[in-house]
């Protein structure tokens, strides 16, 4: 299995080496650590240089605009060749936390899509309460490879993204007892468009919900998908891993 999206940072964990060892023992062959601002992107790159099974994506979330962090794309670009960078992300739109200056959010998003295209890298998208705008931007800029991280939209939207060739990343929310929408999505979209993630340390799957998350908990997500689709877990593991290889050039 591959956890295509997590935040394995020192500020959340004091035992990263142990976690990575545990991943190896638990059949998690690769972990992609995702940046969301310059600092976390640098840390992701450093981790990818330290551990053979860790890869990085680098990017700026809309929060950099609102929290007055560095939003210079050139600084991000400097990191592209420094480690095992396999994508640009997480990037996107967030109208849940930030309703003002949506145009500025879109501008930052588009700049990073162009950066990804320049280096032929896939994009990992964060999208919160902004799914229509996100879809319109992807339709216009047509990134070659793209994944919606922690997808939480409707089945109708999932199908529209799939029609653009976009992968749907499923995380711990799918295991929650009140998860109806995402279960509907999983049931009805082809496994060939699904990848797995944890978004650690957040969104911990059942039965550990409420506690800190770890990349090896991605196994619970695979269990849940197998259960929803009525297939063996091994099938979910094989197909989602193959999808991750199609999406990211490890
Ligand atoms: Ni994330």
């Amino acid at each position: 299995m591959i956890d295509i999206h997590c935040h394995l940072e020192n500020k959340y964990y004091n035992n990263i080496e142990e976690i990575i060892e545990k991943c190896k023992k638990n059949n998690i062959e690769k972990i992609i650590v995702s940046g969301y601002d310059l600092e976390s992107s640098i840390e992701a790159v450093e981790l990818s240089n330290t551990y053979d099974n860790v890869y990085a994506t680098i990017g700026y979330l809309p929060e950099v605009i609102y929290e007055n962090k560095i939003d210079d794309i050139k600084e991000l670009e400097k990191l592209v060749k420094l480690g095992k960078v396999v994508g640009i992300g997480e990037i996107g739109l967030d109208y849940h936390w930030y309703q003002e200056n949506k145009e500025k959010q879109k501008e930052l998003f588009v700049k990073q899509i162009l950066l990804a295209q320049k280096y032929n890298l896939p994009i990992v998208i964060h999208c919160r309460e902004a799914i229509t705008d996100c879809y319109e931007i992807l339709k216009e800029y047509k990134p070659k490879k793209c994944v919606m991280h922690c997808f939480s939209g409707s089945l109708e939207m999932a199908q529209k993204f799939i029609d653009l060739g976009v992968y749907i990343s499923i995380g711990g929310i799918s295991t929650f007892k009140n998860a109806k929408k995402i279960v509907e999505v999983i049931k009805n979209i082809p496994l060939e468009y699904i990848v797995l993630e944890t978004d650690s340390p957040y969104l911990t799957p059942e039965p550990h919900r409420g506690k800190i998350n770890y990349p090896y908990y991605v196994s619970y997500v695979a269990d849940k998908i197998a259960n929803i689709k009525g297939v063996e877990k091994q099938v979910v593991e094989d197909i989602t891993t193959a999808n991750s290889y199609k999406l990211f050039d490890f």
Side-chain angles (χ1 to χ4, degrees):
M1 277 170 281
I2 297 177
D3 180 0
I4 70 116
H5 184 96
C6 66
H7 304 281
L8 207 63
E9 285 168 67
N10 279 311
K11 71 173 176 187
Y12 301 120
Y13 305 97
N14 54 17
N15 56 341
I16 290 176
E17 196 165 340
E18 205 179 294
I19 293 167
I20 287 169
E21 276 312 306
K22 203 159 170 188
C23 283
K24 285 184 181 170
K25 282 186 195 125
N26 285 276
N27 188 28
I28 315 300
E29 61 176 272
K30 287 178 171 56
I31 307 160
I32 303 179
V33 177
S34 187
Y36 47 85
D37 58 13
L38 185 59
E39 209 185 331
S40 58
S41 295
I42 290 171
E43 199 169 333
V45 167
E46 282 170 354
L47 279 169
S48 79
N49 281 330
T50 311
Y51 301 102
D52 58 351
N53 54 342
V54 173
Y55 295 78
T57 63
I58 55 171
Y60 298 149
L61 277 183
E63 67 173 52
V64 303
I65 300 168
Y66 302 91
E67 292 175 19
N68 291 316
K69 294 182 183 176
I70 294 163
D71 63 354
D72 185 352
I73 301 297
K74 288 212 168 64
E75 291 300 314
L76 200 60
E77 188 167 3
K78 282 181 193 163
L79 300 177
V80 170
K81 304 281 175 199
L82 291 185
K84 303 205 295 291
V85 174
V86 293
I88 301 297
E90 56 184 299
I91 61 172
L93 303 173
D94 193 324
Y95 300 164
H96 175 79
W97 292 111
Y98 311 105
Q99 289 87 30
E100 275 132 58
N101 236 332
K102 289 179 181 170
E103 287 312 310
K104 229 177 157 185
Q105 286 200 38
K106 289 185 200 173
E107 201 183 295
L108 181 68
F109 184 26
V110 168
K111 271 188 201 164
Q112 295 178 95
I113 292 175
L114 298 177
L115 177 69
Q117 287 172 332
K118 181 174 172 185
Y119 291 95
N120 205 14
L121 288 168
I123 299 166
V124 179
I125 294 182
H126 167 103
C127 173
R128 224 170 148 197
E129 289 168 31
I131 201 154
T132 310
D133 283 359
C134 218
Y135 176 75
E136 290 304 327
I137 288 174
L138 294 185
K139 213 171 120 183
E140 185 180 344
Y141 289 90
K142 299 183 178 62
K144 243 166 72 192
K145 287 178 180 180
C146 184
V147 55
M148 298 298 290
H149 128 69
C150 201
F151 187 78
S152 60
S154 64
L155 173 59
E156 189 199 346
M157 282 315 292
Q159 272 157 347
K160 286 179 83 168
F161 282 108
I162 288 173
D163 288 342
L164 292 181
V166 174
Y167 287 85
I168 305 292
S169 182
I170 304 293
I173 293 175
S174 62
T175 69
F176 296 174
K177 284 183 184 72
N178 56 355
K180 285 205 182 80
K181 209 159 70 167
I182 194 65
V183 168
E184 198 56 26
V185 170
I186 295 166
K187 201 182 281 175
N188 289 289
I189 65 172
L191 254 182
E192 283 66 27
Y193 276 95
I194 297 178
V195 290
L196 310 177
E197 70 165 84
T198 60
D199 206 14
S200 303
Y202 311 110
L203 299 173
T204 311
E206 295 286 4
H208 302 288
R209 190 176 178 184
K211 297 186 191 122
I212 191 164
N213 203 355
Y214 298 100
Y216 43 82
Y217 285 173
V218 79
S219 182
Y220 294 113
V221 179
D223 277 327
K224 183 69 186 189
I225 294 173
N227 181 275
I228 293 168
K229 288 215 165 278
V231 298
E232 293 291 322
K233 187 183 184 186
Q234 190 63 50
V235 173
V236 174
E237 292 184 18
D238 291 348
I239 296 179
T240 58
T241 300
N243 296 343
S244 305
Y245 274 98
K246 283 181 201 154
L247 187 52
F248 299 101
D249 182 9
F250 295 112

